[in-house]
Every structure is written in structure tokens, then in C-alpha cells.
């Protein structure tokens, strides 16, 4: 059965211990985590760094143990021009300390040959620590669609290097349920769930993706069909940032509880 999680972007840099406790109250067993605050979210919550603050890491681990919550995805691994994957070596050690089973990689380097090589290098470093790697594609990234992502998967050529399917990015990049159904399910390592309209509500795609998505089932992505084409035994992480509701005064639990209920309803109705 699908396992439900909450992604870091949904909580706008809510501090790590509070994030763990929120997930537990909502009945979610998983969260995604980065090693530091997202720069765009520092206006909402104090800056923190799991990379620099060992005591904070310890408190987060203790909170996860107490709540029965774990990190399902470690984020923040970005391929950039002129930056070598080796820079993430110590970060991978921290990911292991936090107990995450996989990292997620994206590229902002339009040189796809270099991006693919950097994916391979980063994944090799992760694999030595028994970590999986997922690759996320999105219209605002260098790997902008499913065909390019599949080419990267072929280049790395390791079964532990797999796709992260974000439902908004998938549909907005021109793919859909038929494309998913044509894949070997083993290629899909992780799923991020949100809804959206066909027509962007914010001109900047990255801003829309990171700040203003929609509750699952309330948009136009055809989520029931998309989710039905995905392997059911994956973590389905809710990536539903709702900035307008937050700035209107709604707290994270009030914002995310409807998302959790909607996702559970959608997943419960999937074919066995």
C-alpha cells in the first residue's frame, strides 16, 4: 500500500522538530528534509542548518524516533555549472546519520552531458553509502521532461538511480498516465503529489511550484488517472505549498490536513 508523507516545500521552512511533530499529528509516517533552510522561506521561520548544528540533528532524530516518523527523501542535491558533485560528500554522511534511504537530485546546468555525468558521480557517492538516488524533472529545470529524465537514467545505468515523479511537473511537461503506464514500474522510486490548473496561475514556474499549488483533486491534472498509473508501494509525498493560505493566517496543520484527507481518499480509490 502507498505510504503518505509531507514534503519540505509544503511547510515553508518550519523548523525540523516541529515538522516531525506536525507529520505525526497528521498521521503521516514520512517527511522530506533538506540540510538547511530554503532561502525563499527564511521570511516565514528562523533560519536553521542541520549541516552545521549537530545538536539540532540529535533533537530531530530523537523526535523522529519518538513519533514514528522518518525521512523518506533528502533534498537539496543540485547540479550547477562549475560545481562538482564531490562537494556533497560530507552532506551524504549527514543524510546517513539522519536515516534517510535516498537523496533527490535536480540539475540547473543546461549542459546535459555534464549534468548526466554529475548525476552518475553523485549517485556513485550515494551508492557507496547504500543510499538510493532519485532524479526529479520539471519544466523549470535542465532535465525538463520525462524523455530527458529517462535518458539520464539510461546513462547512469544503475537500478538504484530512479525517477522521482512529481504530478504537477509530469503533466505540465507534457506527459500523463499513458506515459507512466508504459514505464517499467521499477524505474519509479518516489512520488510527489499535488494538483494545479492547466494554465499557470503565476508567470514564474519555479515560484508557482514552490509557493502555490493546489489540494489534490481540486485542480485539473487528472490526479486519479495519474496516480493509478504509478506503483502503489511507493512513498507519496504531499508537495502542496499554499502560500496564499499561510499569509492569510492559516497555520501548517490547518493548511495540510485537507491535503492529507484528499490524498488518502484518492489513494484509497486506486485499483488494487
Amino acid at each position: 500500500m502507498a505510504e503518505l508523507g509531507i514534503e519540505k516545500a509544503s511547510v515553508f521552512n518550519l523548523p525540523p522538530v516541529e515538522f516531525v511533530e506536525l507529520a505525526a499529528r497528521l498521521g503521516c509516517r514520512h517527511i522530506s528534509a533538506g540540510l538547511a533552510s530554503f532561502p525563499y522561506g527564511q521570511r516565514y521561520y528562523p533560519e536553521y542548518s542541520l549541516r552545521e548544528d549537530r545538536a539540532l540533528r540529535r533533537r530531530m532524530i530523537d523526535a523522529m524516533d519518538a513519533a514514528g516518523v522518518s525521512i523518506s527523501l533528502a533534498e537539496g542535491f543540485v547540479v550547477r555549472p562549475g560545481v562538482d558533485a564531490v562537494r556533497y560528500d560530507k552532506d551524504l554522511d549527514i543524510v546517513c546519520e539522519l536515516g534517510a534511504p535516498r537523496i533527490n537530485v535536480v540539475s540547473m546546468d543546461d549542459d546535459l552531458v555534464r549534468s548526466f555525468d554529475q548525476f552518475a558521480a553523485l549517485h556513485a557517492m550515494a551508492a557507496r553509502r547504500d543510499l538510493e538516488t532519485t532524479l526529479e524533472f520539471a519544466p523549470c529545470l535542465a532535465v525538463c521532461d520525462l524523455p530527458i529524465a529517462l535518458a539520464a537514467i539510461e546513462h547512469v545505468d544503475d537500478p538504484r538511480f530512479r525517477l522521482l515523479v512529481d504530478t504537477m511537473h509530469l503533466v505540465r511537461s507534457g506527459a500523463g498516465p499513458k506515459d507512466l503506464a508504459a514505464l517499467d514500474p521499477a524505474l519509479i522510486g518516489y512520488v510527489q503529489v499535488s494538483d494545479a490548473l492547466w494554465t499557470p496561475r503565476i508567470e514564474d514556474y519555479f515560484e508557482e511550484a514552490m509557493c502555490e499549488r493546489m489540494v489534490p483533486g481540486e485542480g485539473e491534472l487528472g490526479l486519479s488517472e495519474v496516480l493509478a498509473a504509478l506503483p502503489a508501494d511507493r512513498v507519496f509525498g504531499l508537495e502542496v505549498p499554499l502560500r496564499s493560505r499561510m499569509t492569510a493566517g492559516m497555520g501548517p496543520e490547518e493548511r495540510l490536513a485537507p491535503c492529507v484527507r484528499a490524498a488518502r481518499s484518492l489513494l484509497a480509490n486506486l485499483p488494487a
Side-chain angles (χ1 to χ4, degrees), residues 8 11-20 22 25 41 45-46 48 252:
K8 180 181 178 182
V11 296
F12 294 94
N13 284 337
L14 185 70
V17 172
E18 288 88 335
F19 186 12
V20 170
L22 170 67
R25 290 196 302 273
Y45 294 102
Y48 68 82

Side-chain angles (χ1 to χ4, degrees), residues 6 14 17-29 67 69 251-254 256-257 260 264:
I6 299 175
L14 185 70
V17 172
E18 288 88 335
F19 186 12
V20 170
E21 294 169 345
L22 170 67
R25 290 196 302 273
L26 292 172
C28 295
R29 295 178 54 200
V69 171
E253 189 166 353
E254 187 180 4
L256 287 168
V260 171
R264 286 196 173 122

